[in-house]
Amino acid sequence: KFQQEANLKQVTTDGDLELRGAITGYAFTSDAPVAGATSGLNKLTITLQVEFVNTKNDKDKWTESFSRYAQYSAGLNLSSVEDQLINAISNQLMDDIFQKALVKW
């Protein structure tokens, strides 16, 4: 996303922007109780801790936690939808991080 939409290039050293991150949460939970059943929907939530540094501007740095989730039917086998959920959540997280890092109002 950073290369395509911001026309940035990835370098191994001395970059203008630095992003570091770690997955700090990966949880499956019930989300929508249904009468006579434990849950109608489940959700996968992924949380990332991200550190951003603009090496050209000392004031433009931050550390923030980003969290997104995707729901799926409780009747589905998790292994059959997990990759799809991860992809959807990853795209949402990338959009959030991109907006925070590069879109200055």
Side-chain angles (χ1 to χ4, degrees), residues 91-105:
N91 288 334
Q92 294 171 353
L93 288 167
M94 181 58 67
D95 287 342
D96 292 345
I97 295 164
F98 182 85
Q99 291 292 322
K100 174 77 177 177
L102 296 183
V103 177
K104 310 294 184 214
W105 299 98

Side-chain angles (χ1 to χ4, degrees), residues 5-6 13 22 28 31-33 42 53 58 84-85 92-93 103 105:
E5 294 186 24
T13 59
F28 294 95
D31 201 34
N42 290 331
V53 175
D58 289 337
Q84 182 181 5
L85 297 171
Q92 294 171 353
L93 288 167
V103 177
W105 299 98

Side-chain angles (χ1 to χ4, degrees), residues 49-67:
Q49 182 76 22
V50 177
E51 179 183 356
F52 172 83
V53 175
N54 181 339
T55 63
K56 302 296 183 189
N57 180 354
D58 289 337
K59 294 180 182 179
D60 190 14
K61 61 182 173 182
W62 46 263
T63 300
E64 188 167 326
S65 182
F66 295 87
S67 186

Side-chain angles (χ1 to χ4, degrees), residues 1-69:
K1 181 163 184 105
F2 282 77
Q3 292 175 348
Q4 293 173 353
E5 294 186 24
N7 200 26
L8 297 173
K9 292 185 174 40
Q10 186 173 349
V11 296
T12 56
T13 59
D14 299 325
D16 294 339
L17 307 176
E18 296 176 6
L19 284 164
R20 293 180 200 88
I23 298 171
T24 57
Y26 190 92
F28 294 95
T29 56
S30 295
D31 201 34
V34 174
T38 56
S39 177
L41 290 173
N42 290 331
K43 72 178 177 180
L44 169 62
T45 303
I46 299 175
T47 304
L48 301 177
Q49 182 76 22
V50 177
E51 179 183 356
F52 172 83
V53 175
N54 181 339
T55 63
K56 302 296 183 189
N57 180 354
D58 289 337
K59 294 180 182 179
D60 190 14
K61 61 182 173 182
W62 46 263
T63 300
E64 188 167 326
S65 182
F66 295 87
S67 186
R68 286 292 187 149
Y69 69 89

